[in-house]
Amino acid sequence: MNKLLLIAKKEWKDIFRSKTFVYMLILLILLTIISLTISYLVFNNQVTEYHNSLEVLKQIGKVPDSPPPTLHPLNLLRRVVDYIEIIGAILRIILGYISISKERNTKALKLLLTRPVTKKDVAYGKIIGNALFILSLMLIIGIIIFLATFFIGG
């Protein structure tokens, strides 16, 4: 188990040193913020249209029968979930490919396998390291989403 954790820790550090994944994180954060902002602006537009329609109905002497639009914070997250699914799938593929190919190209994989470590340990260690990275990425995005919906939704 200790071997797995050492390999996972190395993989974790390699991922955070890589600029590719920093760019993916920034892209995902930007898409989340843009998606939440667009959803909020669409809701504000619906509220404005409702109030304009209400004024028109009052001017012609009719009573409005529809309730005002209500903000449901989870509706703000519809596009965000799509972005997370798409970019998450791409990220998992890239993570898996780069983690093994980098070790192979630098001949570190051959050196690693001369130690008392099996191929299974290497594979599981890399999977754990990549899973921890994706988990931390989702945690960061989750915090941003929570804060945004808290401030938008009240």
Side-chain angles (χ1 to χ4, degrees):
M1 187 65 170
N2 195 17
K3 298 172 195 174
L4 289 176
L5 295 178
L6 285 174
I7 294 170
K9 183 178 177 182
K10 181 202 171 289
E11 189 67 24
W12 171 271
K13 287 180 181 179
D14 287 347
I15 289 170
F16 277 101
R17 287 184 199 137
S18 173
K19 292 179 183 176
T20 304
F21 299 107
V22 172
Y23 294 142
M24 290 293 272
L25 175 64
I26 291 170
L27 175 68
L28 194 56
I29 289 171
L30 285 174
L31 287 174
T32 301
I33 292 170
I34 290 169
S35 176
L36 289 171
T37 304
I38 289 172
S39 296
Y40 180 69
L41 292 174
V42 166
F43 174 73
N44 277 344
N45 189 28
Q46 289 173 349
V47 170
T48 304
E49 287 178 14
Y50 175 79
H51 288 299
N52 290 341
S53 299
L54 195 63
E55 291 297 320
V56 169
L57 286 174
K58 285 181 181 178
Q59 288 176 357
I60 61 174
K62 292 192 175 186
V63 178
D65 59 350
S66 63
T70 57
L71 176 64
H72 299 286
L74 292 178
N75 286 341
L76 297 175
L77 303 178
R78 284 185 182 160
R79 291 184 187 99
V80 174
V81 172
D82 292 339
Y83 293 140
I84 289 174
E85 288 175 356
I86 293 168
I87 293 185
I90 293 169
L91 185 64
R92 286 188 295 271
I93 292 169
I94 291 172
L95 274 171
Y97 176 75
I98 288 178
S99 67
I100 296 296
S101 69
K102 182 182 60 170
E103 298 285 336
R104 244 179 144 180
N105 290 338
T106 60
K107 308 287 188 216
L109 188 59
K110 285 184 180 181
L111 179 64
L112 183 62
L113 291 175
T114 62
R115 306 285 180 204
V117 177
T118 64
K119 290 180 183 179
K120 189 167 47 168
D121 290 337
V122 173
Y124 288 151
K126 290 191 171 293
I127 289 170
I128 291 169
N130 290 334
L132 289 174
F133 169 72
I134 290 174
L135 183 66
S136 63
L137 184 68
M138 292 301 114
L139 183 67
I140 292 168
I141 297 301
I143 290 169
I144 291 171
I145 289 171
F146 174 76
L147 292 174
T149 54
F150 178 75
F151 287 118
I152 292 172

